[in-house]
Amino acid sequence: MPDTTPPEGRLLAPASVAEALSVSVDEVIALVMEGRLRGIRIGESRQWRIEEASVSDYLDDEAEDARRMALWRQSNAASFPELWGHGRVRNPD
């Protein structure tokens, strides 16, 4: 759920975040609603603003997820001897 307290740091418009992430503005708002980006609604028109630091945190999280998926794929392709260090290695480098 979006934060209700004013954040520390710079606030970005959803369109700026969408451009930086190469996604739509609707996807940015959905990320805020999911809690993956920190944002608040400000002003009389209640426009969304996204914390700049949360965009960086989101990108770090996505990079970590990608790293873990790559490791998972590697482990699925490894043979037991490769994992445990005993026996014949199926696909030596």
Side-chain angles (χ1 to χ4, degrees):
M1 192 53 133
D3 295 333
T4 56
T5 57
E8 299 293 326
R10 187 169 170 215
L11 296 174
L12 303 171
S16 299
V17 176
E19 184 178 340
L21 298 178
S22 298
V23 298
S24 71
V25 172
D26 289 338
E27 289 176 278
V28 170
I29 300 304
L31 289 170
V32 172
M33 299 305 286
E34 293 169 8
R36 298 180 73 194
L37 288 174
R38 292 182 305 276
I40 60 171
R41 296 188 87 167
I42 58 173
E44 285 185 30
S45 60
R46 307 289 294 153
Q47 293 183 349
W48 281 105
R49 292 296 179 259
I50 315 315
E51 288 182 49
E52 184 176 38
S54 77
V55 176
S56 178
D57 293 344
Y58 171 76
L59 291 173
D60 290 345
D61 290 345
E62 290 296 303
E64 179 63 15
D65 287 348
R67 185 188 73 79
R68 288 182 181 190
M69 284 305 290
L71 289 172
W72 175 253
R73 286 187 198 106
Q74 283 179 333
S75 71
N76 284 335
S79 64
F80 279 108
E82 289 174 308
L83 293 174
W84 301 109
H86 301 358
R88 186 173 156 266
V89 175
R90 180 175 43 184
N91 296 320
D93 290 335

